[in-house]
Amino acid sequence: MRIDDTPLKSSLLLEAMRGRPRVLVYAFVLAHAVMMALAMLLAQASPPREVIEALAIGRETVLGTAYQAPFTGWVLRAVWWLGDGELWPVVLVGAIADAVGLWAVFQLSRSIVGYRQGAVATGLLAGVAWVTWLLPAPDPNRLLLALFPLTALHLWRAAGRGRRLYWILVAIDVAMLVMTRYAAVVLVGVLIAAMLLSAKGRAAFRKPEPYGAALLAILLLAPHLTWLAARPTFPLTATGVDLTALLAPWGKTMLLALVGHLGLV
């Protein structure tokens, strides 16, 4: 019986993952951003409805509206003005948001589990339908896709690595999250729960930096919170949105996830 001593052949992708995972991830992030930008430019002659609404909100430079949080409108208005009313700068913002989100995921995961595993995690995230099939335009959901991983990365470096100056970035990130979409308060709660469940996170609460960051975030949100307090109803209720119907899918999803993790299905 002969044993074949032919060396095993591996794919170029596997070799790149082993040897230079950082270069592979950066090339993948760039390609993903370019493809999403081309999808927007080639598939749609005009911006989607969500982008048009955000541009209208940003044009008025208001502290808030009854339709959505104003931060997306402010960003798009600035980009629209700098781009002299062209569509491609708006599309570029969406591509940059994609790239920043995936980059932040890679930086966070490689800090925790290593470069190779971080590269795998980034690739798997980009394959999730809710990420890949988001509207190829800088709407609030796409900005959250960049802001939330960035907030988690800065929080890890602040609480997990003890780098105090990152608490300032955490405060700015949290303020931008809430000003982008009100539902991002749930994401902020997830980050706080993650800190409470880890030893380093609980130790961070014994220091003054987290409370200083919370105070800074409140100060940044103060103009918008003042605007909300002056309204008789919350913006969502003013538009006739049923909050119960809006929150029901969240509860159902969380219940299914809990049942699945318990192995009951």
Side-chain angles (χ1 to χ4, degrees):
M1 180 178 179
R2 292 186 57 187
I3 299 179
D4 190 0
D5 56 357
T6 303
L8 295 175
K9 295 182 179 180
S10 101
S11 65
L12 294 177
L13 180 62
L14 182 58
E15 289 301 325
M17 186 73 73
R18 290 175 177 175
R20 307 186 71 180
R22 180 186 297 180
V23 175
L24 177 64
V25 169
Y26 289 166
F28 174 78
V29 169
L30 179 61
H32 184 271
V34 170
M35 290 179 63
M36 294 304 293
L38 289 177
M40 173 68 182
L41 289 173
L42 297 178
Q44 297 187 9
S46 61
R49 178 179 59 84
E50 292 82 358
V51 176
I52 295 176
E53 289 179 353
L55 283 170
I57 293 172
R59 181 180 179 180
E60 300 299 327
T61 318
V62 294
L63 292 177
T65 69
Y67 297 96
Q68 58 178 265
F71 184 71
T72 304
W74 296 347
V75 172
L76 293 187
R77 176 57 182 171
V79 173
W80 187 266
W81 179 77
L82 291 174
D84 197 22
E86 297 291 334
L87 178 61
W88 67 266
V90 177
V91 176
L92 182 62
V93 171
I96 292 175
D98 282 340
V100 170
L102 293 175
W103 172 84
V105 169
F106 175 65
Q107 292 295 323
L108 177 61
S109 56
R110 66 98 177 168
S111 300
I112 299 174
V113 296
Y115 279 98
R116 297 175 185 174
Q117 293 84 350
V120 173
T122 306
L124 291 176
L125 174 65
V128 175
W130 286 355
V131 176
T132 305
W133 293 105
L134 273 179
L135 194 68
D139 64 339
N141 290 330
R142 187 159 295 279
L143 290 186
L144 283 183
L145 182 64
L147 288 174
F148 181 64
L150 206 59
T151 306
L153 174 63
H154 292 158
L155 182 61
W156 164 256
R157 291 178 176 176
R161 295 295 181 86
R163 301 165 72 173
R164 296 182 176 179
L165 291 179
Y166 274 92
W167 284 109
I168 300 176
L169 295 180
V170 171
I172 297 174
D173 293 337
V174 169
M176 289 192 297
L177 277 173
V178 177
M179 292 288 286
T180 300
R181 197 178 186 96
Y182 297 123
V185 174
V186 177
L187 300 178
V188 177
V190 170
L191 294 177
I192 295 175
M195 289 187 63
L196 293 175
L197 292 175
S198 66
K200 290 184 177 180
R202 291 191 297 271
F205 281 117
R206 303 188 187 100
K207 301 177 182 179
E209 286 84 1
Y211 306 102
L215 178 61
L216 178 57
I218 293 174
L219 290 176
L220 292 174
L221 290 170
H224 186 65
L225 294 177
T226 303
W227 177 85
L228 284 177
R231 293 185 59 84
T233 57
F234 192 72
L236 288 178
T237 59
T239 58
V241 176
D242 187 357
L243 292 180
T244 304
L246 186 64
L247 296 177
W250 285 73
K252 182 179 179 180
T253 302
M254 293 181 65
L255 179 61
L256 290 176
L258 177 62
V259 172
H261 280 79
L262 292 177
L264 300 179
V265 293

